[in-house]
Every structure is written in structure tokens, then in C-alpha cells.
Amino acid sequence: MDNIEGILIDLDGTLYHGRHRIPGADVLIKGLRDAEIPFLFVTNNSSRTPESVAEHLRGMGIEAKAEEVCTSSLAAARYISEESPGATVAILGEEGLHQACMDAGLTPVSEAPQYVVQGIDRSFTYNSLAQASRWIMEGAVSVLTNPDLMLPSDDGVMPGAGTIGAAIEAASGVAPIVIGKPERHLMTYATSLLNINPKNAIVVGDNMRTDIAAGAGAGCRTVLVLTGLTTEENLEHYKTVTGITPDYICADLTELMALLGL
């Protein structure tokens, strides 16, 4: 591979499963540092702050800094601030989304917002649904951090931001602007943070529907690693479903490092 200006790396399923590091993840990140190849950890997770994500990685022995983390909350807040600097926003989400909106200079309000921005929100209620749908029907722009319907947890799967978003869309009759994977906005934002041309960025991930689809949509090259959701057995199925073929496929992170020349 040549003309690599930066690597955009998925997390869950690519570098770890829950709290368990995938073999070679720590070596991969050290190799990128040693080779001075810029990279970002890119995640749909909207609940955590960049520092919290970095702390989670460090807890598994993967060296990480907050400034190396790019979340769907950061990308959503940046999208809104670029469209309407200082806009008023109703935030349905957790710490990561609230912090991202504040850092982007947006103004949180509880009445008549210009935007309703929504991520995972484990305190979501019927009243939240009623208010959000009413604001959107009155003209507020609906922004969804990521469309994940279900999320893994220690107790099994749980509803994700996309499930809440589906309820708001059904109630309001308005489809949201989706920022996270599989849409391109998150990847485009990540490449802008690295100040690189998307065509010279490599997106690495385990999920054909999200990571690879988002990378391809943003004009990046894609590397599928068979360390998580996509396997040799279901790969052809996902190719058919997405209509996308990864530029490269690696069985594990050791093969990825060889591909990158690390």
C-alpha cells in the first residue's frame, strides 16, 4: 500500500471485544506510532468523551490519547456548528454528546431549539419523545449521532441511539440527518481532523454495514479485518447486502500490520 496519509481505526470488533483486547491490537498501535503514521480511533459511540474512550483503551493495554479519539458526538456537534455557528440545541444524550456540543460553541436550551441532536440516552422517557417530536414538527432540524439499533453490553444487547431515533422519526414524521457510520460524515470529519485527503486515508474495521460502508462512502480506501462481526462465512452475504467490496481483507491484525508494512 502506498500514499497512506492516515489510518481511521474502528474500535469494538477491531481492537477489542467489550473489555477484552483483540490479539495484536496493542502491537498495531505501537507500530503506527513507531512508523509515524497518523491515525485516529473512530467510533459511533456517542455516550463517552474522548478521554473516557482513551481511558478504556489504556485499561486494555492499548496506548491512546484523548486527541486521537473521534466520536459520532464530536462529528455531530461539528456538523451543527458549521451549519449554524452558536446554534441552540436540545440535547438528548449522555456526557459525550453534551461535552461535544459545549466544546463546539453550541447553546443548549430546553425550549424552541434550532436543532434536536440525539444519541444514546439511557434516561430517555415518553416525555422526551413527545418534546423532541414536537420541536422537530415545529421546524427544528433533527440530527442523529449514529443509527446503531442495538449495542453490546455486559448484560447482553441493549437498544442503541438508532432505536431511540426511530421512535422520534416515527412520532415526528421527519427523518434525521445521520452523522455516524454507515453515513460518510464521521469519516469525512475524521480526515479533516488529520488534514488529509480522504483518498489517502485507510479505514480499518470489522463491520461491512458500518465501517466499510462509511469508508467507501467518504472516498477512503477500506480494509476489512475478520476479527469481529464479519467472518469468512458471512462475508459474501454482506458484500451482497451492502453492494460493497473492501479494498483489502485481512484475517487478523497480524495480517493488517504486514499489509501496512509495520
Side-chain angles (χ1 to χ4, degrees), residues 2-241:
D2 55 8
N3 297 322
I4 300 175
E5 295 182 353
I7 313 287
L8 308 180
I9 309 168
D10 173 57
L11 295 179
D12 204 351
T14 301
L15 296 184
Y16 58 74
H17 293 131
R19 298 181 181 180
H20 302 285
R21 185 180 73 206
I22 290 174
D26 53 339
V27 182
L28 168 65
I29 299 306
K30 184 179 185 303
L32 292 174
R33 293 189 193 283
D34 290 345
E36 298 184 342
I37 298 175
F39 67 90
L40 288 174
F41 303 107
V42 182
T43 176
N44 263 3
N45 189 315
S46 66
S47 65
R48 289 176 168 170
T49 63
E51 180 52 48
S52 176
V53 174
E55 183 178 358
H56 182 66
L57 287 164
R58 292 193 297 267
M60 290 181 286
I62 301 170
E63 185 183 349
K65 305 171 186 175
E67 57 267 28
E68 295 167 341
V69 177
C70 180
T71 71
S72 63
S73 287
L74 292 175
R78 172 64 68 88
Y79 174 85
I80 295 171
S81 68
E82 289 184 344
E83 292 290 312
S84 304
T88 57
V89 293
I91 304 170
L92 282 73
E94 300 183 1
E95 182 183 10
L97 184 55
H98 282 268
Q99 188 64 54
C101 288
M102 294 295 290
D103 290 346
L106 302 176
T107 306
V109 295
S110 57
E111 292 294 338
Q114 293 173 266
Y115 290 81
V116 173
V117 57
Q118 177 248 311
I120 185 68
D121 184 355
R122 281 163 281 205
S123 63
F124 188 75
T125 65
Y126 182 84
N127 187 55
S128 302
L129 173 61
Q131 283 190 322
S133 58
R134 187 179 305 119
W135 287 327
I136 293 167
M137 287 188 288
E138 291 172 352
V141 178
S142 179
V143 176
L144 176 61
T145 59
N146 63 289
D148 298 346
L149 295 176
M150 303 299 290
L151 298 174
S153 76
D154 293 339
D155 300 319
V157 294
M158 60 183 289
T163 298
I164 298 172
I168 295 173
E169 180 178 350
S172 67
V174 177
I177 297 167
V178 180
I179 301 299
K181 314 170 201 176
E183 300 302 320
R184 61 178 176 81
H185 296 291
L186 178 56
M187 296 303 180
T188 300
Y189 174 58
T191 57
S192 73
L193 289 178
L194 291 179
N195 194 29
I196 62 176
N197 190 319
K199 70 179 182 180
N200 293 328
I202 306 295
V203 172
V204 177
D206 71 297
N207 191 325
M208 285 284 290
R209 287 180 181 268
T210 58
D211 309 316
I212 305 306
C220 305
R221 286 177 284 175
T222 57
V223 179
L224 175 71
V225 287
L226 303 179
T227 52
L229 185 67
T230 308
T231 64
E232 288 185 7
E233 291 71 27
N234 62 29
L235 175 58
E236 292 305 319
H237 167 71
Y238 282 122
K239 284 183 180 179
T240 300
V241 169

